[in-house]
Amino acid sequence: MVIQRRFFSLSFLLSITCAGAPMFAQNAQTTPAPQTSKPAASQTTDVEQLVPVPEKPDPLKRRLSDHDKVQQQKDLSKEIKGEYKKWLDEDVRWIITDEELAAFKHLTNDEERDKFEESFWQRRNPNQDSPDNEFMDEHYRRIAFANDHYAAGEPGWKTDRGMMYIKFGKPDSIDSQPSGGEYNRPMDEGGGQTVTYPFEIWHYRYLPGIGDNVDIEFVDACMCNEYRATIDRSEKDALKHTPGMGPTMWEEQGKAKPEDRLNGSLEQLGTGPESNINQSKEFDRLERFTKLMAPPEVKYKDLEAYLVTSKILSGPPFPMLVRADYVKVTDETVLVPITLQIQNKEITFTTKDGVATGSVEIEGRVTSIAGKVIRPIEDKLTKQVPAELLDNMKLQSSLYWNSIPLSPGRYRVDFVIKDVNRPDHIGHRFFSIDVPRYDDDKLDSSSLILADQMYNVPSKDIGQGSFVIGNTHVQPRVSASPAIPVSFNRGQVLNFWMQVYNLGIDDKKKQNDATIEYLITESASNKVVLDMTEATSKPETQSSATKFSQNADQLTLAKSLKLASLQPGKYQLTIKVNDGISKQQIAPSQTFEVD
């Protein structure tokens, strides 16, 4: 029986209530389908019927206009489904940039999507001439690895550890605490002892676009193998919210209270000896964490064509000077600081609101002799100056510095630079470097660097920032080639820096015994104009700025010399190191000119 929708009056509802269930059942079986017109006056009925309200047409079922049909067809053509949706949501979820994602969503057919995917992988191929795509092969290998090792109630590629592994690959080292337990906080986390949840710290020596010595911390706070990336190092503290448990060092000493941890900062580490340092680095930590969570950038691919092909430069030349130095880190790792010098007059500046701005995009790569890319470099050098001082700035130079850890061996280094405000102004420079091997039983040294600027940095900046080697800011002076000496004028200061490695240590005294002789010789006459000697075993021979450790097998030599007493000409600086324990000698030297 068909029962049509009807509006009923209150009297109808009351009649049903009074009549009872049997009456309702009887009426339901015998009442004919209601009519749409009002009943005649002679017709008797206990129900007051209302004129039905006409139903409005369903907008979803209305007939589409020609314009709507065309628009609907366009929307359907843009819908991403099937293998393309999987590719977007799973395969490249962690590496596709926002710009690429927006472009892909605007494609209207599968042919365009196929071409986009091909271009997507080709942009990331380290070897553009190869039919194989090393990047794509490695990417899918990482996804498989993440699924095998990091699944936690969801596929491994979806987890935070899976995401980081897919984007950045295998860490250089992992500090894994799969069971948590007792934990002695380092001083930069407040000191003291507590108990932690399971956690891991992944360490990368370098990540392109992010920086050196990158640590990523993951915490399994639910004890269910669900490790979450965190910027707050206190998140692994299982006793953080337990009163009286797991105090920091200052809380134990009564110098701080647990509520001090809730100070509104990024981390709830509490007050301690290094609180000020932690606060000063908050912005840097937040910026680095933001970069880690973002897709890896694909930058300056127009410049990469000059690195991977023999593309001819068609615009005006953009010259640069380069310098490479070598500093020992471990037996198998050498730090290679590379310095680029660009004349400011070669940079195109634009002026806005009284400020002149010039920018240079820098792309480079370090390649092994087998052609494998060891280290890509992508960066930008920007100079700003009040417009009225621009002419003076153009008389000076700008330096770009990048410190790269490498294993001993021979490499090729390429750099391409582009003037941002004049895109056809591009320069290309390549050169080879031979990274030395520092054997344990051989007295040796780093590069001898002649520097424009040299000074000790604060403890919080040790090993960080441009031109910083250890605890010293060393800004080298760059010449046109290693065979051409650098130039100073008589009003300047000659700074020089060098490290000495593998000094002998006396078995009984546990001390070194070396003499260091500094010689400056005039090249034309071979006349010695400076001769100064220091001994590691005789503090009285050492200058106030130099205090050698007698128990170390490594020394850092950093000296400054006013050049006013030297006549114009060419000179040679030689540092002779005589090791009284191992009976070995070295004598590195550098030439320079005084104008």
Side-chain angles (χ1 to χ4, degrees):
M1 178 183 64
V2 178
I3 300 176
Q4 296 182 349
R5 297 178 58 186
R6 183 73 60 185
F7 290 87
F8 300 98
S9 67
L10 178 61
S11 61
F12 178 53
L13 294 175
L14 290 174
S15 67
I16 293 176
T17 305
C18 297
M23 181 180 178
F24 176 76
Q26 182 182 2
N27 288 341
Q29 293 173 0
T30 60
T31 302
Q35 303 297 317
T36 58
S37 61
K38 187 174 181 179
S42 61
Q43 187 177 0
T44 61
T45 178
D46 292 331
V47 179
E48 180 184 354
Q49 298 187 19
L50 299 179
V51 177
V53 178
E55 294 185 3
K56 296 181 179 180
D58 187 346
L60 297 178
K61 297 180 180 179
R62 65 182 174 85
R63 184 177 180 180
L64 297 178
S65 66
D66 292 340
H67 176 271
D68 290 337
K69 288 181 179 179
V70 173
Q71 186 61 43
Q72 185 184 63
Q73 190 64 32
K74 287 184 178 180
D75 293 339
L76 288 173
S77 67
K78 290 183 179 180
E79 184 180 352
I80 302 172
K81 52 189 175 181
E83 63 182 44
Y84 300 106
K85 182 174 177 59
K86 178 184 179 298
W87 183 81
L88 201 63
D89 293 345
E90 299 182 21
D91 293 15
V92 299
R93 179 172 178 175
W94 303 129
I95 64 171
I96 190 169
T97 65
D98 292 341
E99 294 80 6
E100 289 173 324
L101 180 60
F104 189 85
K105 288 182 175 180
H106 279 84
L107 302 178
T108 59
N109 57 65
D110 291 349
E111 183 181 358
E112 290 180 349
R113 295 183 183 109
D114 289 337
K115 289 182 178 179
F116 181 96
E117 288 187 23
E118 181 180 355
S119 174
F120 177 90
W121 293 119
Q122 190 60 25
R123 291 181 68 202
R124 292 161 170 80
N125 188 358
N127 187 354
Q128 299 285 320
D129 297 327
S130 172
D132 298 323
N133 192 314
E134 296 178 15
F135 180 93
M136 183 176 69
D137 294 343
E138 171 65 11
H139 177 74
Y140 282 104
R141 185 201 66 78
R142 292 179 184 180
I143 291 178
F145 184 92
N147 288 335
D148 289 342
H149 293 80
Y150 303 132
E154 58 183 351
W157 69 265
K158 280 190 173 183
T159 66
D160 284 1
R161 289 187 298 173
M163 172 185 65
M164 296 299 182
Y165 185 88
I166 289 168
K167 289 199 290 188
F168 306 119
K170 181 181 178 181
D172 294 301
S173 63
I174 298 178
D175 178 8
S176 179
Q177 304 295 330
S179 301
E182 292 187 359
Y183 177 68
N184 293 314
R185 298 187 191 91
M187 293 307 295
D188 61 351
E189 294 183 19
Q193 190 177 69
T194 187
V195 175
T196 70
Y197 297 114
F199 71 93
E200 289 185 357
I201 299 176
W202 291 12
H203 177 77
Y204 292 89
R205 287 196 295 268
Y206 173 78
L207 289 178
I210 297 176
D212 296 302
N213 297 317
V214 179
D215 289 330
I216 308 174
E217 188 162 313
F218 305 90
V219 178
D220 179 17
C222 67
M223 308 284 285
C224 59
N225 202 41
E226 187 178 348
Y227 286 81
R228 297 288 186 181
T230 178
I231 194 174
D232 183 0
R233 289 169 289 175
S234 75
E235 198 166 310
K236 61 179 174 287
D237 189 344
L239 303 179
K240 183 169 63 172
H241 301 296
T242 305
M245 302 294 288
T248 65
M249 185 180 75
W250 277 19
E251 289 169 2
E252 283 185 313
Q253 297 174 356
K255 296 180 181 181
K257 300 177 181 179
E259 51 265 34
D260 294 340
R261 303 190 195 186
L262 305 176
N263 56 7
S265 61
L266 291 174
E267 302 181 285
Q268 297 179 1
L269 297 174
T271 305
E274 298 190 15
S275 296
N276 292 335
I277 296 177
N278 285 334
Q279 291 176 4
S280 68
K281 292 182 177 180
E282 273 197 353
F283 179 80
D284 293 336
R285 287 180 58 79
L286 180 60
E287 181 183 33
R288 175 166 284 190
F289 191 77
T290 302
K291 290 180 178 179
L292 287 170
M293 302 303 289
E297 293 184 358
V298 184
K299 301 190 301 182
Y300 315 145
K301 290 303 171 181
D302 57 330
L303 297 186
E304 188 175 36
Y306 295 93
L307 294 176
V308 299
T309 67
S310 300
K311 189 173 181 179
I312 298 175
L313 302 176
S314 58
F318 196 175
M320 67 185 114
L321 303 180
V322 296
R323 174 186 174 91
D325 294 295
Y326 309 102
V327 180
K328 178 184 177 183
V329 178
T330 67
D331 292 342
E332 295 298 326
T333 304
V334 177
L335 201 63
V336 184
I338 297 178
T339 308
L340 268 64
Q341 180 173 293
I342 301 170
Q343 296 291 328
N344 290 339
K345 65 181 181 181
E346 298 289 344
I347 304 174
T348 303
F349 287 82
T350 59
T351 301
K352 182 179 180 181
D353 298 329
V355 178
T357 303
S359 295
V360 178
E361 290 177 354
I362 300 171
E363 178 150 344
R365 60 174 50 182
V366 180
T367 311
S368 70
I369 57 176
K372 181 180 179 181
V373 177
I374 304 299
R375 173 74 173 267
I377 300 169
E378 295 175 344
D379 220 328
K380 180 181 286 188
L381 177 67
T382 300
K383 304 294 290 186
Q384 287 187 323
V385 65
E388 61 271 18
L389 301 179
L390 179 58
D391 289 340
N392 290 333
M393 171 175 269
K394 287 187 174 182
L395 300 176
Q396 304 169 13
S397 299
S398 294
L399 295 180
Y400 169 78
W401 190 86
N402 198 316
S403 186
I404 304 171
L406 294 172
S407 299
R410 181 175 288 275
Y411 302 86
R412 168 175 168 144
V413 181
D414 287 80
F415 275 101
V416 176
I417 59 175
K418 183 177 77 172
D419 191 346
V420 172
N421 295 320
R422 187 177 179 180
D424 66 336
H425 196 195
I426 295 174
H428 182 198
R429 179 79 180 267
F430 68 90
F431 56 98
S432 64
I433 57 175
D434 195 357
V435 180
R437 180 178 298 278
Y438 292 101
D439 296 325
D440 286 341
D441 56 352
K442 179 183 177 183
L443 184 65
D444 217 328
S445 73
S446 69
S447 300
L448 173 54
I449 302 176
L450 305 185
D452 282 325
Q453 298 179 9
M454 187 178 69
Y455 54 84
N456 290 333
V457 300
S459 58
K460 66 183 181 66
D461 294 330
I462 291 177
Q464 300 184 32
S466 292
F467 307 109
V468 176
I469 305 176
N471 65 348
T472 310
H473 177 101
V474 186
Q475 182 174 306
R477 180 154 289 199
V478 185
S479 64
S481 77
I484 300 176
V486 296
S487 296
F488 296 84
N489 63 56
R490 297 181 67 192
Q492 294 178 319
V493 174
L494 170 66
N495 304 290
F496 54 91
W497 182 96
M498 188 182 82
Q499 287 184 335
V500 180
Y501 308 121
N502 304 324
L503 286 172
I505 302 295
D506 184 86
D507 292 336
K508 294 182 179 180
K509 296 181 179 180
K510 304 301 180 184
Q511 294 180 348
N512 56 42
D513 183 14
T515 57
I516 300 97
E517 184 178 9
Y518 306 92
L519 291 170
I520 294 182
T521 306
E522 185 181 23
S523 299
S525 63
N526 205 30
K527 178 183 177 182
V528 176
V529 297
L530 175 70
D531 189 348
M532 180 178 67
T533 301
E534 295 178 315
T536 60
S537 60
K538 298 178 180 179
E540 65 274 10
T541 66
Q542 302 168 19
S543 66
S544 58
T546 303
K547 292 299 178 184
F548 298 126
S549 171
Q550 291 183 253
N551 308 110
D553 64 351
Q554 176 176 312
L555 302 177
T556 298
L557 312 177
K559 299 289 183 182
S560 298
L561 175 68
K562 293 183 178 180
L563 297 175
S565 61
L566 299 184
Q567 297 299 316
K570 182 184 294 186
Y571 295 86
Q572 178 172 280
L573 167 66
T574 304
I575 301 180
K576 295 182 178 180
V577 181
N578 189 338
D579 187 354
I581 303 297
S582 67
K583 308 303 181 183
Q584 298 182 69
Q585 294 181 346
I586 56 172
S589 63
Q590 282 278 13
T591 58
F592 65 95
E593 290 182 342
V594 177
D595 298 330

